[in-house]
Amino acid sequence: MKAVQFESIGHIRVTELPDPGPGPGEVLIRVAASGICHTDVDILKGNFKARFPVVPGHEYAGTVVAAGEGVSSDWVGRRVAVDPNVPCGQCRACHENRQNLCRDLRAYGVDWNGGFAELSVVRVQNVHPIGNLPFEQAAFAEPLGCVIHALRRLQPEPGSEVLIFGAGPMGLLMLQALKAYGAARAAVVDIHGPRLELARQLGADEVFLGDPELRRRGEGRSFDVVADATGVPQVVEGMMERVRDGGKLLYFGVCPPSAGISLRPFEVYRRDLQIVGSFSLNATLPPALRLIQSGAVQVEPLLSHQFALDEFEHYLNRVGQPDTMKLQAKIL
């Protein structure tokens, strides 16, 4: 099979690998669509721990073409999306249904071969039927599942006014999910005008072109919830200025592991603030699929580029550029 392989930190190739076969409890998927995540960039750079060599890709969907021992043959032919996380099931976090915090968490595309290949072997409990949903839409279920996990952690009140920093794919998935979950108004800040126009189309009530416009037009404004979807430490540091007393801050964007910010604990105490962190997804892929299938969250406008496996490295280098949103390999 053709596959992208991260051989080691900084080394990537498109190659032919032996066709895999499903073991007990596993299914073999013919991959149809697989999205690039910034985590893939971090894995290649060595900023996110992985087991090399590995086929990257943890946002993917396809068709089951074979079932391993102990798996019903009814799975063969089903169109599915993949939850990449594989918890140990034995540790305290797993027993508390916080599998995303498992002490020995593994994932397809990180520790085991993932979705940037023609074929992928996955545990049957990690696949979820998608019905007739197009594969390129179903591949958004994993990132949307991360958003839903964040909102479950955040528990925003119905009618909340929300400010989101970042109008990339994750920020705009969050915008739509918040509106679907009952936010009254949602504003988005970004430094790229076309992204803000897309935010308006997807339900943003207000948009601000960077911090200068936010300060000019939003002077004195504050919000019930302020969320970061940029992963820029300076942005995270400034969120405190925009949250109401008694409000909530969501750290959702992935800042560099070594980055720090200035925080005044007295202000958190005196203003009765909540700071919420959110990592990965946790059994939230099925509700993500339902939101996409219902049309409450539109993902097609977020898919800016589709490419062949041979073009993977070129598009990996385009992650985060102003003219890109979600980049997705079309494999079938």
Side-chain angles (χ1 to χ4, degrees):
M1 68 173 183
K2 180 178 288 188
V4 174
Q5 187 178 64
F6 290 173
E7 297 179 286
S8 58
I9 294 173
H11 294 91
I12 179 177
R13 64 173 183 163
V14 178
T15 187
E16 290 288 330
L17 296 177
D19 288 357
E26 296 176 334
V27 295
L28 178 66
I29 299 170
R30 184 168 298 283
V31 181
S34 187
I36 293 180
C37 172
H38 201 280
T39 299
D40 299 315
V41 178
D42 288 334
I43 289 171
L44 188 60
K45 290 182 177 180
N47 296 329
F48 193 96
K49 186 179 179 182
R51 293 184 179 183
F52 296 103
V54 69
V55 173
H58 55 273
E59 305 177 0
Y60 61 109
T63 302
V64 175
V65 293
E69 181 184 346
V71 178
S72 171
S73 60
D74 290 345
W75 278 100
V76 177
R78 288 190 185 180
R79 306 167 76 255
V80 298
V82 174
D83 182 336
N85 285 352
V86 182
C88 74
Q90 303 298 321
C91 68
R92 178 175 177 175
C94 287
H95 288 159
E96 294 176 349
N97 288 323
R98 303 197 69 180
Q99 287 86 350
N100 62 311
L101 300 181
C102 170
R103 67 184 180 189
D104 193 30
L105 184 66
R106 297 289 184 262
Y108 295 105
V110 181
D111 304 282
W112 297 306
N113 288 344
F116 286 111
E118 293 175 325
L119 297 168
S120 177
V121 169
V122 178
R123 299 189 315 167
V124 68
Q125 57 263 53
N126 285 68
V127 297
H128 299 270
I130 64 172
N132 294 322
L133 188 68
F135 292 119
E136 61 270 21
Q137 295 183 34
F140 277 88
E142 192 278 341
L144 182 56
C146 295
V147 169
I148 293 173
H149 173 63
L151 299 189
R152 288 182 175 180
R153 296 268 299 129
L154 187 67
Q155 295 186 344
E157 297 291 335
S160 294
E161 293 190 344
V162 182
L163 178 66
I164 301 169
F165 284 95
M170 299 307 293
L172 297 187
L173 287 174
M174 181 175 292
L175 163 69
Q176 296 181 79
L178 277 162
K179 298 289 278 190
Y181 278 43
R185 292 182 62 80
V188 179
V189 186
D190 201 275
I191 60 175
H192 302 298
R195 289 188 170 190
L196 291 177
E197 180 55 37
L198 182 55
R200 281 195 183 279
Q201 295 172 19
L202 294 175
D205 299 287
E206 291 181 275
V207 297
F208 298 97
L209 186 60
D211 190 64
E213 186 173 20
L214 178 61
R215 292 186 179 278
R216 184 175 67 254
R217 289 178 42 220
E219 185 175 357
R221 291 279 302 283
S222 58
F223 298 82
D224 301 301
V225 173
V226 180
D228 172 64
T230 69
V232 177
Q234 296 93 323
V235 172
V236 176
E237 188 169 75
M239 290 165 61
M240 194 82 73
E241 299 178 22
R242 292 295 167 183
V243 67
R244 287 180 180 150
D245 290 353
K248 300 179 180 182
L249 301 167
L250 175 63
Y251 291 6
F252 182 75
V254 184
C255 290
S258 61
I261 64 171
S262 176
L263 179 69
R264 296 185 297 278
F266 180 84
E267 186 174 2
V268 178
Y269 148 76
R270 180 61 183 84
R271 297 179 60 197
D272 208 9
L273 301 177
Q274 294 183 49
I275 298 176
V276 178
S278 179
F279 168 68
S280 192
L281 71 165
N282 189 25
T284 46
L285 197 135
L289 284 170
R290 289 193 291 271
L291 279 180
I292 298 171
Q293 289 165 330
S294 71
V297 172
Q298 299 179 54
V299 296
E300 308 99 305
L302 306 181
L303 180 56
S304 64
H305 296 80
Q306 291 181 298
F307 58 89
L309 285 178
D310 288 330
E311 303 173 290
F312 177 86
E313 186 170 7
H314 169 76
Y315 282 94
L316 186 73
N317 290 329
R318 296 191 62 182
V319 170
Q321 293 185 2
D323 64 336
T324 66
M325 292 292 282
K326 179 55 68 178
L327 310 170
Q328 198 178 88
K330 188 174 182 179
I331 301 173
L332 273 182

